[in-house]
Amino acid sequence: MSKLTTTIEPHDTSNAPARYETDVEGFTSEKTQYKEPTKENGSSGRSSEGEGPPQDPNIVDFDGPDDPENPLNWPEARKARSIVIVSLIALLSPIGSTISASAAASIMQHFKITDKTLGAFVTTIYLIGFAFGPFVIAPLSELYGRAIMFRSCAVLFLIFNLACAVSNSFASLIVYRLLTGIAGSCPGTLGASSIGDMIMREKRGSAMSIYIMGPVIGPTIGPIIGGYLTPAAGWRWDFWLMTISSGVVTVFVFLFIHESYPYVILKKKTARLRKETGNQNLRSALDTGKTPKKLFAFAILRPFKMLISPIVFLLSAYSAVVYSYAYLCFTTFPRVFKVQYGFGSGPSGLASMGLGVGFVVGIFFIGAVSDPWSAYLTKKNGGRPKPEYRLPTLIAGAVFVPIGLFWYGWSAESKTHWIVPIIGTGFLGIGIVTAYSTTTTYLVDAYTVYSASVMAANTILRCLTGGLLPLAGNDMFDALGVGWGNSVLGFISLGFLPLPLLFYFYGERIRESRRFKMDF
């Protein structure tokens, strides 16, 4: 196979880029010079005319910078529909994760369960499914595309929610919740990658803020729905509602989700041209000739390799910790507001509104400043964009996490008016969404060609932490009280505060360091 020079930027930020033996999403194994795909050089990352060796006439690529098959050139309406549908399923999935939080007591009573940890496990097992799903979804998407995975997971999500609604034992409910979480992890694994396929860097922050609304607002809506629906119709109707909703969304997914992954687009184009021309020597610009088995084996290990990178690991760990605080709140709000304030099931679910308002404020903050701030810093520093220009947003927003935890914990401990701790959770919500959104955008910008894998790595840590930490919430509050329990979490978040500042100044040096550079 002839040499294929690509220009994709995640690992190449120097003025005189070096060449590396690595894979473009696992599909180009020859030495490549990396530059992030742009409308000018095409989504496949092929270098512009005049760069590199002459093009092999048997290599199939996009037809210039304006090729309509290139997702970057799709009509704005088509991009908007795709982003809205991806955001919609990214909203529905986390609703399913927390809709059982307010129903936990009813589920325990129905199945005669007395262990509070098992009651919380009904909610958190879903997040453990979120952690395992990316193991398979990310590599399969890199082999067969985003669209087929969105469609397959939408159907499975529908089936397993139905199974939850009719489950006849606590054990079967736990298993079905795990499988629902695995299927529901698809939008979290592939959503940011799909946006990266369609939207260029300078507009990606705003588009990402729309998508982020689902994962951060969805968990807030779930307890409210469950808090009122469970007393009115029984806990099974929580899952019947999820089944009906996922059925409607599945129809939208099949109608409006189109393939955006360049590897798969060019693979189909190559097959079509072979059939039309009879030239069996044609091959995709992103094809290595490796078998799907070898590609899958390579791709399935990539998220774990990426976690060795200090940037990926530490930022994923930070977003995982603050993300788990939200689920700790969702699983302990019924306890705190029932015991401390005498709330019923419905009002206890409404306690999550404080987090929800904070999430919305944080989303508007990210959408308003992320792209302009990055553009300003790019212009100020010679016009060369860097992923690190996303991090000032995280620096500004990270302080809200400890503020919110201390405020919420001690106001609830001292039983001040119920609105005071809820306001505290609003500050926490601002910090959580800022951390989640900014780290997602930064990692996609920094590792664009590996976006599905880096998001899988991020999701694995985030969902394992979010699934396991809340299990200790009730025991922690029993031992320390609400005030000191939240203070411990606040001190942990304070320990992470220097992290975005460190990576803002030294992130590029770390990414380019030979010590940490590896073949992903």
Side-chain angles (χ1 to χ4, degrees):
M1 180 176 175
S2 62
K3 296 274 184 173
L4 171 61
T5 301
T6 61
T7 37
I8 308 175
E9 188 170 321
H11 299 295
D12 175 25
T13 54
S14 64
N15 291 327
R19 290 178 177 270
Y20 307 104
E21 285 281 357
T22 188
D23 280 11
V24 178
E25 288 290 271
F27 301 111
T28 39
S29 63
E30 303 182 25
K31 289 186 179 181
T32 57
Q33 176 185 337
Y34 287 115
K35 180 181 178 183
E36 182 182 356
T38 64
K39 187 174 179 179
E40 285 68 30
N41 64 15
S43 173
S44 70
R46 296 289 299 276
S47 57
S48 59
E49 187 175 355
E51 295 181 7
Q55 298 299 322
D56 186 331
N58 287 323
I59 291 181
V60 178
D61 203 342
F62 289 116
D63 299 329
D66 297 317
D67 187 346
E69 289 191 58
N70 187 333
L72 293 171
N73 297 325
W74 284 356
E76 293 302 319
R78 187 178 188 182
K79 291 182 183 181
R81 283 196 301 268
S82 297
I83 293 173
V84 167
I85 299 302
V86 169
S87 302
L88 185 61
I89 55 178
L91 170 68
L92 184 62
S93 181
I95 289 177
S97 70
T98 56
I99 196 169
S100 62
S102 297
S106 296
I107 293 172
M108 292 171 64
Q109 183 179 8
H110 179 87
F111 291 115
K112 297 180 174 58
I113 302 294
T114 57
D115 191 330
K116 291 181 179 180
T117 301
L118 285 178
F121 200 51
V122 176
T123 298
T124 61
I125 187 65
Y126 191 100
L127 286 181
I128 295 175
F130 261 31
F132 284 113
F135 289 155
V136 177
I137 292 172
L140 284 179
S141 75
E142 294 177 351
L143 283 174
Y144 304 110
R146 323 278 197 214
I148 191 171
M149 296 309 301
F150 277 123
R151 292 166 185 166
S152 301
C153 289
V155 172
L156 292 174
F157 188 73
L158 167 64
I159 292 171
F160 293 135
N161 269 301
L162 175 62
C164 287
V166 299
S167 57
N168 54 13
S169 69
F170 187 77
S172 64
L173 176 61
I174 292 295
V175 171
Y176 292 139
R177 285 282 288 168
L178 173 67
L179 294 174
T180 307
I182 291 174
S185 68
C186 183
T189 306
L190 302 182
S193 304
S194 299
I195 292 173
D197 292 338
M198 296 180 285
I199 307 297
M200 289 180 285
R201 179 197 294 268
E202 58 268 22
K203 298 181 180 178
R204 195 175 293 153
S206 298
M208 204 71 74
S209 67
I210 298 172
Y211 157 72
I212 291 296
M213 289 181 69
V216 298
I217 294 180
T220 306
I221 299 174
I224 297 173
I225 296 173
Y228 284 97
L229 185 59
T230 301
W235 65 267
R236 291 187 187 274
W237 263 101
D238 293 345
F239 301 113
W240 280 117
L241 179 63
M242 290 301 303
T243 303
I244 296 167
S245 302
S246 58
V248 174
V249 171
T250 299
V251 173
F252 290 150
V253 169
F254 274 84
L255 289 177
F256 298 114
I257 293 294
H258 304 283
E259 185 54 60
S260 64
Y261 189 37
Y263 168 79
V264 173
I265 295 172
L266 291 178
K267 181 180 179 181
K268 292 179 179 179
K269 181 179 180 179
T270 302
R272 185 179 71 247
L273 290 176
R274 282 176 179 170
K275 184 176 181 180
E276 292 175 356
T277 65
N279 182 1
Q280 297 305 307
N281 293 321
L282 294 175
R283 60 190 183 279
S284 165
L286 298 180
D287 184 21
T288 61
K290 292 181 181 178
T291 64
K293 182 178 180 180
K294 289 183 179 180
L295 289 172
F296 182 83
F298 187 91
I300 200 170
L301 294 175
R302 187 182 293 119
F304 301 100
K305 288 184 178 182
M306 300 195 83
L307 282 175
I308 298 174
S309 164
I311 290 180
V312 177
F313 177 78
L314 289 174
L315 284 179
S316 296
Y318 175 59
S319 65
V321 167
V322 298
Y323 182 81
S324 69
Y325 291 168
Y327 278 86
L328 182 66
C329 289
F330 295 137
T331 55
T332 57
F333 274 167
R335 165 218 171 98
V336 171
F337 285 95
K338 282 181 180 179
V339 174
Q340 305 288 94
Y341 296 98
F343 281 16
S345 177
S348 293
L350 282 174
S352 63
M353 286 293 291
L355 272 175
V357 172
F359 290 157
V360 172
V361 172
I363 287 168
F364 278 107
F365 169 68
I366 294 294
V369 306
S370 181
D371 286 338
W373 209 333
S374 178
Y376 167 75
L377 290 173
T378 298
K379 183 178 179 181
K380 182 180 178 181
N381 291 277
R384 187 167 65 90
K386 292 198 300 183
E388 283 71 28
Y389 295 155
R390 300 286 184 186
L391 293 179
T393 310
L394 180 57
I395 296 169
V399 296
F400 287 101
V401 175
I403 290 173
L405 287 167
F406 292 132
W407 186 322
Y408 162 59
W410 288 109
S411 60
E413 179 77 22
S414 59
K415 297 183 181 180
T416 57
H417 190 275
W418 56 265
I419 195 63
V420 179
I422 288 179
I423 292 173
T425 64
F427 284 99
L428 175 61
I430 295 172
I432 290 172
V433 76
T434 302
Y436 181 57
S437 179
T438 306
T439 54
T440 297
T441 308
Y442 172 80
L443 291 174
V444 169
D445 280 358
Y447 301 94
T448 303
V449 292
Y450 310 109
S451 57
S453 293
V454 77
M455 290 315 301
N458 179 270
T459 301
I460 290 165
L461 277 186
R462 190 178 72 246
C463 293
L464 278 177
T465 308
L468 296 176
L469 181 62
L471 296 178
N474 285 306
D475 290 338
M476 180 177 66
F477 286 167
D478 285 340
L480 301 176
V482 179
W484 277 112
N486 279 284
S487 293
V488 169
L489 304 179
F491 290 131
I492 293 173
S493 67
L494 281 173
F496 279 103
L497 280 182
L499 193 63
L501 199 62
L502 172 70
F503 287 147
Y504 177 75
F505 289 107
Y506 301 107
E508 182 180 13
R509 186 181 303 177
I510 294 172
R511 287 188 290 111
E512 291 300 309
S513 169
R514 289 185 178 182
R515 182 177 180 181
F516 298 116
K517 191 180 292 294
M518 63 190 69
D519 179 7
F520 291 127

